[in-house]
Amino acid sequence: MDVPRLVDHDRRRAELGEAAIRIILREGLAGVTVRGVAAEAGWSTGSLRHYFSNQHALQAYVVQATADTLRRRVLPRAQRPRTGGSVVEQVATIVEEMLPLDDERREEYALWSAIVEWERLHPQEEGSVSWNDQRALHRQCIAALRGHEPVRDPGQATAPHPDAEVELWAALLHTFVDGLAAQLMNTPSQVSAGTAGHLLRSLLRAVPRPEQPAHHTEVESPPQG
Amino acid sequence: MDVPRLVDHDRRRAELGEAAIRIILREGLAGVTVRGVAAEAGWSTGSLRHYFSNQHALQAYVVQATADTLRRRVLPRAQRPRTGGSVVEQVATIVEEMLPLDDERREEYALWSAIVEWERLHPQEEGSVSWNDQRALHRQCIAALRGHEPVRDPGQATAPHPDAEVELWAALLHTFVDGLAAQLMNTPSQVSAGTAGHLLRSLLRAVPRPEQPAHHTEVESPPQG
DNA sequence: CGCGTGCTAACACGCCCGTGCTAGCATGTT
DNA sequence: AACATGCTAGCACGGGCGTGTTAGCACGCG
């Protein structure tokens, strides 16, 4: 026993994941079948089932692998330091890294939507994949609105933020970005990339900032529900 | 020939539509199969195919019937006149009629999402169903922000609006509402109904209005893309 | 009453699916 | 060189799907 492995299981699984991602982009998450993924990767179904006993196990792995791929692709772009331009422009370029404004980001957003859909249909899995990423986007919005570097995760996610107004506007921006992304994906004929940029910057200009306190919004309670 | 009909075809089609809506709510649009709808309605597949030759014809009809059902349910609620409360509160209650804040409106939003999904997958159909409803929501937002009754459709959809700022904020509100609805559906544990209400009202309070021109947003171009 | 037409039900075909199973191949060890 | 074990390929079964076809039923009309 304990014979040295002949193949690298992790490498094989990663190959399967890449094939599955290609299928998701072509046919959506419902197209991720045992037979389909095996054919896309050039294998037989029996070989695939040596690594994933179930379709469920396959899809769960694919969701995880896709989330990892997205993190590696999107986060560095969003966290790249911005120096030039106004605060509005800096925040806009950060947010635009996550919006489906071109084919590459449309691909990324389609993959992200597939993950969210999968987790909506399978809510009992231990440890939601998208939750941490949602928090990361949230923190990114907060940090961007402050004009600071992203805050390290304090570990206490529900603790009230020191600046309730910034927290509120981060939540508003987060929601707005979700809507903008949905409109760009679902009704691209009505909301083009240029329109999205205009809308985003218009909203950002409406955000009250300390150095420009022209508009006061009465904050009643923190937006965490 | 021209023998009087023995059954009311429209009535039968409507029965099929209701059965299909139940299936959409249970299993999504992908569950709308010829066999499944026939079984849900208590028919045989042969009978169903007497009314719809294709699965495509069935689904196209179901999408249309669902859109009609939604219009009859949602539009009267949204267009009900608001008298009491501030403008923010009036607009909030209008918008909330379209948000998935309880089980009934979650059902409605799930049906609406199915329609949008279907039209995204079949873009070549003559006359998009959701386009007119998107315009209706857009006009509703504009009218609500103005505090007026809904404007009649001028027939010239791309004509620039007289008040560019209202048009801009209507588009921003529309996008924000889309994002809020998506968050309520996809991540209800993070965005509850109460949170959604707070966020919506916070955004509405930030909208500059003629009687409260405390904040000036530099409008550069109309948001139509 | 008998007939024709509209409607219904059921079956058949081919395809794709998940999954269990088994014979064969390749490789590291003895 | 021979073996044992991990891996591969392929088949088989049962089920769901869309769709074409066909036999049978019900009703209105002559």
Side-chain angles (χ1 to χ4, degrees), chain A residues 4 6 32-35 45 49 54-55:
Chain A
L6 303 182
V32 178
T33 65
V34 173
R35 288 172 139 94
T45 67
R49 292 187 67 252
N54 276 339
Q55 183 187 32

Side-chain angles (χ1 to χ4, degrees), chain B residues 73 100-108:
Chain B
R73 281 171 66 169
L101 293 172
D102 56 13
D103 287 347
E104 180 186 356
R105 282 170 283 185
R106 280 180 73 88
E107 271 196 1
E108 292 166 353

Side-chain angles (χ1 to χ4, degrees), chain A residues 121-183:
Chain A
L121 298 176
H122 303 86
Q124 79 288 359
E125 305 298 313
E126 94 274 351
S128 163
V129 171
S130 61
W131 194 86
N132 288 326
D133 294 306
Q134 292 274 20
R135 289 300 301 173
L137 172 58
H138 198 81
R139 277 182 279 122
Q140 196 76 32
C141 289
I142 294 172
L145 288 173
R146 280 210 183 97
H148 293 166
E149 289 300 305
V151 295
R152 265 43 106 242
D153 196 346
Q156 41 189 2
T158 57
H161 245 271
D163 193 342
E165 187 141 0
V166 171
E167 173 82 13
L168 170 66
W169 275 96
L172 292 176
L173 177 59
H174 183 179
T175 300
F176 181 80
V177 168
D178 279 1
L180 209 47
Q183 289 182 351

